[in-house]
Amino acid sequence: MPNATHNTTWARGQYGDRMLRLLREFGPLTRSELGELSGLSRTTLYEVVSRLVDSGQVIAAVPDSTRRGRGRPAEKLIPNPEAGRVLGIDFGRRAVRVVAVAGDRDDLRHGDLDRDVLGHDHLERHDAISTASEAHSPTAQWPDRIVIARRLVGTLTGGRLRLDALNAVGVAVTGPATDAPAPLDRRAMAVMMGRSLGTRVRIDNAARLAALAETVWGAAHGQRDVLYLELSDPVGGALVSGGVLHRGAHGRSGEFGHITAEPGGAKCPCGGRGCLQTVASTTAMLDAYRPGADLPDLLAALGSGDPAAHAVLRRAGTYVGRVLAGLVNALEPGIVVVGGELVTAGPTLMESVRRELLANVVRCRSRPSPLVRPAELGDHAAALGAASLLRQPGRDPSHSAGKGLDAGVRMSGGLRAN
């Protein structure tokens, strides 16, 4: 049988939820009014209310005495509007991005935050979403990146965001790259972040979290079986099956960048040859266009109709389409979403991907070809996914790390110590 302490803790949690529901339904209430509505004893009521106030879930405020006549006005309790927010942080290769999303569990799980205005530049103007970002060198060290994240968090909602009112913070981490700093022990990172933010931290792979965000709010909204491929640095992806992220037996699923695309091709950092990473990553496409070119160079060339630039994207799209066809044949998703810096730089890349995928996918009467769409959420997709990760049903709490946890910490997404 559960011990008495466990039962008491459980009961207080249930009572706390009840108090919050009553305050949202009836508006500001005194402790006495809340006690009448809840039916709790005075001792239990005051204990639960004190816990809610201390944790930042509820604000105790005294109304203007000039409106109440004589005597000391009774203190009113109101839900903290900032406590409903969830926070997602994306540690990208060249920038830190932070997203704070307001809304309850159902809003975040079902994408009910007016998804029509969530994409690209509209994201920053959405009332329910606050964003902040800061660029840094790809060689920036992890402690410096965490300092940037902490600073960005402080800028959200005009500095009014109560970190101690958050249950946890979701964090997206991009896979290793050749010019990145030495990998940080992910356990250490979770502890550092937890101590810096004063709350628990949950970490997962950025490509997987971008896939989750696209499923909740973006190109795959309303779909339950989604194959997501990100053509960035590195190339990665994810499978959402039945509305849930698939992580694999050891948490390392989604390494689509290391599927062979060009047998005998260029050597990949993984040790293989001709991996999709070597022909369709952002760096590979830049090198194929012109050694030393950067992303603005290639984007400008595409915009001006440079045949060489468009040929690079067509070639990459051909390899991508073939790899995706194999994955579609094996996994049968309802939709394929392709993200990355060059996906929205004109139709060349996506047209090549679609053409090659449809030419190689197995067709049958009972199974229509999957939809193929570009990602919609842009640079903030991984941070949005990190925020929505915290609201996914049935998550394993052992995948989180809190402040003060120095050992025995497990991360989701296979981000183990390197």
Side-chain angles (χ1 to χ4, degrees), residues 5 23-24 37 57 100 102 116 129 131 137 169 171 175 208 211 213 222 263 276 331 389:
T5 301
L23 290 172
R24 293 188 181 107
L37 289 170
Q57 302 295 308
D116 291 337
I129 297 176
T131 69
S137 166
V169 172
V171 173
R208 267 204 293 267
L276 190 60
L331 302 172
L389 178 70

Side-chain angles (χ1 to χ4, degrees), residues 8-25:
T8 301
T9 301
W10 178 86
R12 288 173 182 169
Q14 297 297 306
Y15 293 153
D17 289 343
R18 188 193 305 177
M19 300 299 101
L20 289 170
R21 284 196 299 270
L22 288 172
L23 290 172
R24 293 188 181 107
E25 181 178 356

Side-chain angles (χ1 to χ4, degrees), residues 386-397:
S388 59
L389 178 70
L390 302 174
R391 299 296 196 182
Q392 292 298 291
R395 71 179 181 91
D396 180 355

